[in-house]
Structures are given as structure tokens and as C-alpha cells.
Amino acid sequence: MKRVVLLLFLLLPFLVAAQSVPVPAELSLAGLRLRLTPGGRTAIQQKVDALRRHPASFQARVVLADAYFPLIDRVFQQEGLPLDFHFLALQESGLQGDAQSIHDAVGYWQFKRESAADYGLVMNDAVDERKHIIASSKAAAQYLLRNNKVLRNWANTLLSYNLGLTGTKPYTLPTDADATEVEVSEQTHPYILTFLAHKVAFESAIGLNTRPPLLFQEFPAPAGKPLAIMAQALQQSPDELARHNRWLLAPTVPTDRVYTMLVPITDPLQLTALAAQQKNATAGQLLNQPAADPENADFVRVNGLRALVALPGDTKESLAKRAGLKMKKFMQYNDLFAFDNIVPGQPYFVQKKRDKAAVEYHVARPGESVATVSQKYGVRAKAIWSKNRMPRNEELRPGRVLWLQHTRPKNVPVEYADSNNATALAAFEKPVTAPVVAAPASASPAPSSQPAQPEKKRKLDEAEPYMGRTATSSRVLEDAEEESSTVVQPDSATDEHTENLNELPPAPAAPTPAPVSAVPTPNKPLPATSPVADEPAVEAPAEEAAAPPAPKPVAKPAASAPAPAPRPASLPPAPPTLPTPVSTPVEPVPANGQHVVQPKENLYSVARRYGLRPADIVTWNNLPQNPSLRIGQVLRVAAPGPSPEAPGATPAPAAKPAPTTPKPAATTPAPAPAPSGVTSVRHTVQPGETMYSISRKYKVTIKQIMEWNSKPDFSVKPGDVLVLKPTE
């Protein structure tokens, strides 16, 4: 009795296949209602019976459909094509990748060479993507969508896949466009009848097996290597792996782009082997490959955290299922929202991310955001924003050097590097394996009176110095001490948030700031900081240093500030391992000294365009800190230069009356007398200037400007010439 039951269980799929499926009176195709006439039902029924006549052949196609349709459906959903059209692959090739017709149509979707080239399929001596299920399905979806834009009827679009647009027009009616119902009879084109037969025959048989005997997983193909190498690692037969990847014609996978292969899964051991190889599935997403988890082969380790690498076709649901987490927890660990898509090759974590990465810096690449960098290194996005002093709405520009272990000091400008230079990326993103000892040239040694610190404390104090171009001498970068220690900052007009300032020419009016003097903590003295390497410096000769300091118009040192230590003759050279940031081309300043703000421009892009400091533009235009510019706003991009009568110049005797010979005024009242020894200046009002901004620029009051120019109110317009008598 048990043998009979077992035999019936094994024969059940074949018995189901042998049963005839009646054709209903109505069918649906992509939302289009198809009304079948009796003659049409008979014609379709004959084709359905023929498809199900041989149970073994029919069941083999059902197994292939269960394996291929999830891949095809994923592509169709991405392209926006109705899923009913996946039966067309069964009709065209029987889901055989190496199928070829007498008209030289090749692959799963029977593309001819000309049509395949139109839709971007690669065909050469090494690769034929007509035999690649993902690439060819995408091309087929685009072909059908293009034709439906012209025909506006899914039944006619289906016919156009066989006849083309020109061949389909004789079979269309004027009323077919945007129709919701179509009649199907025995006179309908046989291609449409055959498709409907495949839909009726296979639709009720597909998806019944909860444990299908064959599944496919898309996986990045090893560039420059044969598939046989991956077959051994994935517990696969090389012949079986090659049979499902007919698209590869050469012995090895080409290196011109990233290709994916189909890995057949027939037993749980192959799933385990595939999970163990997920560290190789990053496909260029990570510079440093993740390590395998020694405790569980299903995971990898990134920044010491357990993670899963997303494979092609993975979703949030599938990753949460692989991780054994609830969806809410999985999305919380990875800072995901409902509208976020899974990126193949990117790690997704199954525990909370850290506040520091295993590498010190990261160079932003095109298309990256703070969220993607956060996923690559297992660091919270909030920590990246904080360490780089970035507002959350700031755009991450390609080439920007992100700090991932320490907070960027305020006096260190933002740096940029070449994001396409592999050597530069390797230098910046090198994992830290041992603490770097601070260079003795720039770090102040501890006084002999200080007691020796314990070994553990000493390692914490030996923070890695930043060795970029803006600080060739060592700079201590301890997060905790930066937050808690009190630093006395000298007066400086340097902007805190600047972009690529190490490529800008030195401003002639900015002196070298005095060395920062830090208040030492009771247990450990802070090392004395040294001036930034690329800041402009004004070195005084030894004679001038010994003499009493003369008053300088540029900087006013604080009375309590100690005398600065003499600067070394030359700064130590930058380490050869770190690359030089790419120089930004600087445009000459316009002749009128003004710039009109264009779309997508901000303060920093304008400063970088003309080689200026953002702080100078803010000062010259009397802008607030961190201003938001508007399109069409006129900015002064040159220092307020002297007018025809420059400050300090002696006016011509003919232009002004002698002070000892008073003359009566002609037609206008005489301006208010100026203080003795003050030279008048003529200022032409520029667009955007007000009486208040002009008074601040020349350090005079609005009342004085009105008196000197006999103005009844404080309104000015561009082009007005004002007589000013600045006090300095």
C-alpha cells in the first residue's frame, strides 16, 4: 500500500499535466479584456491540448518557468511592462538560451542582430547577450513598450513582436487604439492564438511547487577568469554552470564591464556555498573586500560588524529573511526608508552601525551620498555628518575627502582628491592596522616634570596625525579632547567651512595667524599646533623681529597673546603616499569686478571659480555668515578698489579749491566739512548696495553720507556717485 501511495505522489505532476485545461470564454491580457468567440475558443483549445499532450516535456518547461519567471518578472517590473508577457519567452524559445531560428533569431527572446544592437545588447566574439536572460529580457521589455506607444493596444503590440510595426498595421483597426475590449476569433492571427494557448496551458501549472527543483541566483561573473573557477567554489558542475550561461563565448569573462551569471541552485549545500562567496559580489562597490564571518558563513564582516552583501535581485524583504530579522529592525539598522531600493553589491548590516570606520578617510565618488558611504564602512550617517561638519542638506560632491575616524578640525579646510585615481583611493582608504606615532618635528614633547602616563593612556594620546597638504606638520586629531579642551583662538577672518582652499592663491592681505595656544589639562599637555601649510605667511626678517613691532594695517594681535615662535625655514615635505588634490582652474575676475549668480551656484563655487576666499566675498558684499545666494544676485568679486581719486592720493589743485581761499558755493550746497587730513573718495553705487552697506564699508555713519552729498533721505540707486570721507 505504501508503494502505491509513493508512486501516485511521484506521478502527480504528470497526471496534472495530462489533464486538459478548458479555455474560458474571456481572457485578460495586460488589463485588456479578450472576448473569445466559439471558433476562437476551439482554435485555442487545440493548441492547449497539444502543449499538454506530452507530460514529461510539459513538466520540464514548468520547471524552467518556475526558475526563470522570477528573473523575468523583476526586469518587467523595473521597466513597467505587464507580467503577462513572460509567457512570450516560453512561446519564442521554450526558455532555451541557445535557441536559434531559421531566420537567425537567437536567444531567449529570439532577437535578430540588428534589433539587438538597437537596444544595447553586446554581441562580439566573447559575449552574446541575446543568450543572457536578464539583458535580453530588458531589451524585449523596451521593444514592447516602444511599440505600444504607437499602437496603444496590447494585443496589437503582442503581434508586433512577430511582424514588426509595419507588418502589424494591416491587422489593426482605427478603433483598436485605447480599446478596453477586443474580440478573438478563429480568424485572429495565429501568433496571438498561440500566445493565449501558452497562457492558458501554463498559468495554472506554474508556482504550484513550494519547493521547486531548480532556482536561479544572479551573481557577478569573475572578470578575467573562467566560469569553472567559480563552479568549484560554488559546489557546481562546470558543465551545468556553462549550460545556463551560454552568453559567454570566450574561455574567460571579459573585463570591459561587469557581467552577471546565473547560478543554478538545486540543493541547500549550494545555497551555503553561494552565501560564503558573497564577499566577492561587491562588484567594485568596496575598495577593500569584506572578510568572511568566522562564526557564520552566511554573513561577512565589515568594520567588525556582521552584514549581508546584496545580490542582484535582492529586496529588503529577502535580505531581512536571510538575516532572520524583522523588517522594521533591518531597516533601522541600515537607515532605510520604504522608498529606498537595494543596491546590489552593497553590504547591509544585521546589527547597529558604529561611529568610526576602519579607515581614516574616504574619497567621494560620482553618484555617492553620505548614506551609501555609511553602508560601505558600517558607520552611522549621523556620525559622518558630525565628523565632517556637514549640514544634512549639503550635497556630497565627487572627490571630497570625508573623515571617518576623527572630527575635522575647524581650521582645516575641506580637501578634494581625484576620485578616478586608483592610487589615490588606495592611499586614502587604507585600513588602519596600527596606531601611527605622531611626528616629533611638530609635536611638543611633554615637560620632564610631567609624570609618565600608563601604557593604555599613552596609546589613546598617540592619535593619528592628519598628513594632508593643509597640515604637513602633525596635527593631533583626538575626538574626545577636541570636544573638551579649551583653545584660545586668535582673531582671524578665515572661514570655517571652505572648499578646496589648498588650491587657491594666497590672499595678499591675510597674515599668518599666531600659533594656537592650548590650555593644558592637569594630566597631559596638548602638543602645540603649527600653522597650516598652505596658508599665506608673512615672515618678518630677524632685524624686524628684534625691533619693536611697528603698527600694521592688516592684523591687530591681541595684547595678551604671547610672542609667536619663529617659523622654521621650510616645512617638512608631505608624505609621498598621499596624492595631491586636483587643481581647480581659476577664471580671471571680470573687468567690472562683479559676478552675477547663476543657477546651482553658491558662495563656495563662486569663490573657487575666481580663486577667492569665501570670507572675502562675504566682507566685500556685507553678507551674513553662511549666506544663501539668489539667482541673478550681483556679487563683488574684487576688493573695493580706489575710484578716480584713490584714498591716500593727493588731489589735483585744480579739482578742489584751496582750503585757505574760500569760495562761495555755486548751485548746490557745500558738503559738510571733513576732518583734517582726510581725503575724499568718490564711490559709484553698485547693484545690491544700500546706504547702510556703504557706510559699513567705509566706516562712516549714514548721517555723514547724507550731509556730505546733501541727500534728503538714505535711498541710493545703482550708478549714483557719492562723496565719502573715510576716517581710516
Side-chain angles (χ1 to χ4, degrees):
M1 183 65 180
K2 292 182 179 180
R3 293 182 180 179
V4 175
V5 173
L6 180 61
L7 183 62
L8 290 175
F9 179 78
L10 294 175
L11 294 177
L12 181 61
F14 298 97
L15 295 175
V16 173
Q19 293 179 356
S20 178
V21 178
V23 178
E26 289 185 357
L27 290 173
S28 175
L29 172 62
L32 179 65
R33 181 187 174 193
L34 303 179
R35 189 179 67 256
L36 276 60
T37 64
R41 292 180 63 186
T42 302
I44 295 174
Q45 187 68 60
Q46 293 175 356
K47 295 179 180 292
V48 170
D49 295 341
L51 290 172
R52 301 175 69 104
R53 184 171 295 126
H54 302 285
S57 175
F58 178 79
Q59 187 61 26
R61 292 194 178 189
V62 170
V63 171
L64 289 178
D66 282 336
Y68 278 109
F69 277 6
L71 303 175
I72 298 174
D73 291 350
R74 170 166 60 89
V75 176
F76 283 4
Q77 287 174 346
Q78 293 172 352
E79 298 295 327
L81 185 72
L83 301 185
D84 284 338
F85 284 95
H86 58 203
F87 294 106
L88 191 57
L90 269 173
Q91 177 181 350
E92 288 287 340
S93 64
L95 293 175
Q96 300 295 325
D98 56 348
Q100 185 169 354
S101 69
I102 58 175
H103 301 291
D104 202 22
V106 177
Y108 293 99
W109 292 92
Q110 293 293 285
F111 271 103
K112 294 184 179 180
R113 180 170 289 272
E114 296 78 10
S115 300
D118 290 341
Y119 289 92
L121 296 181
V122 178
M123 294 167 291
N124 50 40
D125 295 337
V127 170
D128 188 350
E129 286 192 325
R130 293 178 293 179
K131 302 177 182 180
H132 193 289
I133 184 62
I134 302 298
S136 60
S137 297
K138 183 177 181 179
Q142 293 174 352
Y143 182 88
L144 291 168
L145 288 170
R146 186 202 67 174
N147 290 357
N148 190 62
K149 288 182 180 179
V150 178
L151 300 172
R152 295 186 296 171
N153 185 292
W154 286 116
N156 294 336
T157 300
L158 172 65
L159 183 59
S160 70
Y161 197 85
N162 179 251
L163 303 179
L165 276 176
T166 306
T168 305
K169 288 184 178 180
Y171 294 89
T172 61
L173 298 174
T175 57
D176 287 347
D178 299 325
T180 58
E181 181 178 328
V182 173
E183 183 181 81
V184 177
S185 66
E186 68 274 10
Q187 301 298 325
T188 303
H189 196 280
Y191 190 80
I192 297 179
L193 297 178
T194 304
F195 174 84
L196 296 178
H198 278 81
K199 178 179 171 65
V200 172
F202 287 94
E203 193 169 31
S204 59
I206 293 174
L208 296 179
N209 195 343
T210 57
R211 294 183 179 180
L214 177 64
L215 292 175
F216 286 121
Q217 175 61 58
E218 196 179 1
F219 199 83
K225 298 179 182 179
L227 293 183
I229 294 180
M230 285 299 296
Q232 184 178 3
L234 295 173
Q235 302 293 324
Q236 297 281 341
S237 167
D239 295 337
E240 186 72 11
L241 191 63
R243 186 168 70 88
H244 295 292
N245 293 277
R246 304 280 190 182
W247 55 271
L248 182 61
L249 308 180
T252 59
V253 179
T255 58
D256 58 335
R257 52 182 289 191
V258 177
Y259 294 93
T260 58
M261 62 180 181
L262 286 188
V263 179
I265 305 297
T266 56
D267 60 68
L269 181 62
Q270 292 173 337
L271 274 176
T272 304
L274 186 66
Q277 293 297 319
Q278 63 179 315
K279 63 180 183 296
N280 301 320
T282 54
Q285 291 281 340
L286 299 179
L287 185 66
N288 303 299
Q289 295 295 331
D293 187 359
E295 300 176 2
N296 193 331
D298 294 339
F299 300 95
V300 296
R301 291 279 183 172
V302 177
N303 197 19
L305 301 173
R306 185 170 288 178
L308 292 168
V309 176
L311 301 177
D314 268 336
T315 60
K316 292 188 286 289
E317 292 77 10
S318 64
L319 287 174
K321 184 178 180 181
R322 283 171 57 189
L325 293 174
K326 293 183 178 180
M327 178 62 63
K328 183 179 179 181
K329 267 300 188 201
F330 177 78
M331 296 178 68
Q332 179 183 354
Y333 288 158
N334 294 277
D335 301 323
L336 292 174
F337 296 95
F339 51 81
D340 289 330
N341 294 322
I342 297 298
V343 180
Q346 184 169 283
Y348 289 88
F349 297 89
V350 298
Q351 57 188 116
K352 290 182 179 180
K353 291 185 282 189
R354 303 184 187 274
D355 287 338
K356 288 187 178 183
V359 302
E360 291 190 70
Y361 312 106
H362 171 76
V363 180
R365 305 182 192 180
E368 278 189 341
S369 63
V370 173
T372 56
V373 176
S374 166
Q375 289 298 120
K376 285 184 178 182
Y377 295 102
V379 183
R380 294 187 307 148
K382 183 179 179 181
I384 298 178
W385 284 318
S386 175
K387 292 181 186 301
N388 292 273
R389 306 183 185 276
M390 296 174 61
R392 297 201 175 191
N393 59 350
E394 181 177 348
E395 178 186 2
L396 181 60
R397 299 186 179 181
R400 175 166 179 169
V401 179
L402 291 177
W403 294 51
L404 301 180
Q405 286 192 347
H406 306 280
T407 301
R408 177 175 62 84
K410 291 184 178 181
N411 58 346
V412 175
V414 176
E415 285 194 323
Y416 285 80
D418 186 3
S419 59
N420 297 320
N421 188 339
T423 307
L425 297 179
F428 274 102
E429 302 178 23
K430 183 179 180 181
V432 178
T433 56
V436 182
V437 180
S442 61
S444 300
S448 57
S449 60
Q450 290 291 339
Q453 300 294 334
E455 182 68 20
K456 184 175 180 181
K457 180 69 177 177
R458 187 185 65 81
K459 289 185 177 180
L460 290 177
D461 294 341
E462 291 177 355
E464 300 84 353
Y466 175 63
M467 303 300 292
R469 289 190 63 210
T470 57
T472 38
S473 56
S474 304
R475 180 179 283 110
V476 176
L477 301 176
E478 292 182 344
D479 290 6
E481 298 239 352
E482 182 181 334
E483 296 294 336
S484 60
S485 61
T486 305
V487 179
V488 179
Q489 297 288 352
D491 291 338
S492 175
T494 306
D495 193 12
E496 292 180 3
H497 305 285
T498 56
E499 296 186 90
N500 208 10
L501 291 188
N502 32 328
E503 297 301 330
L504 303 184
T512 304
V516 179
S517 59
V519 178
T521 57
N523 294 331
K524 181 175 71 71
L526 291 179
T529 58
S530 51
V532 179
D534 56 351
E535 288 181 352
V538 180
E539 296 189 8
E543 296 81 359
E544 294 182 10
K552 295 182 180 180
V554 224
K556 297 180 181 180
S560 60
R567 294 183 51 140
S570 60
L571 292 174
T577 56
L578 293 181
T580 302
V582 181
S583 60
T584 307
V586 177
E587 298 183 11
V589 176
N592 59 358
Q594 297 177 356
H595 172 78
V596 180
V597 179
Q598 303 298 323
K600 298 184 179 180
E601 281 190 336
N602 55 26
L603 176 65
Y604 304 111
S605 62
V606 174
R608 190 168 59 249
R609 179 174 180 176
Y610 297 110
L612 303 173
R613 297 191 316 158
D616 292 338
I617 299 180
V618 169
T619 304
W620 297 338
N621 295 273
N622 296 303
L623 300 175
Q625 291 296 327
N626 299 323
S628 58
L629 305 182
R630 62 181 184 275
I631 299 175
Q633 182 176 351
V634 178
L635 296 178
R636 177 181 290 277
V637 291
S643 56
E645 298 181 13
T650 304
K656 295 281 184 177
T660 57
T661 311
K663 292 184 179 181
T667 56
T668 59
S676 59
V678 177
T679 307
S680 62
V681 175
R682 294 183 180 275
H683 174 80
T684 303
V685 179
Q686 304 297 329
E689 286 188 330
T690 62
M691 184 83 76
Y692 175 71
S693 64
I694 297 172
S695 68
R696 291 196 59 185
K697 181 180 298 184
Y698 292 96
K699 298 183 179 179
V700 296
T701 64
I702 297 178
K703 182 179 179 181
Q704 289 175 327
I705 298 178
M706 295 173 62
E707 290 177 355
W708 294 336
N709 296 273
S710 303
K711 295 186 68 67
D713 54 18
F714 49 83
S715 62
V716 292
K717 61 181 183 294
D720 287 352
V721 178
L722 301 177
V723 177
L724 304 171
K725 299 176 176 115
T727 58
E728 293 184 3

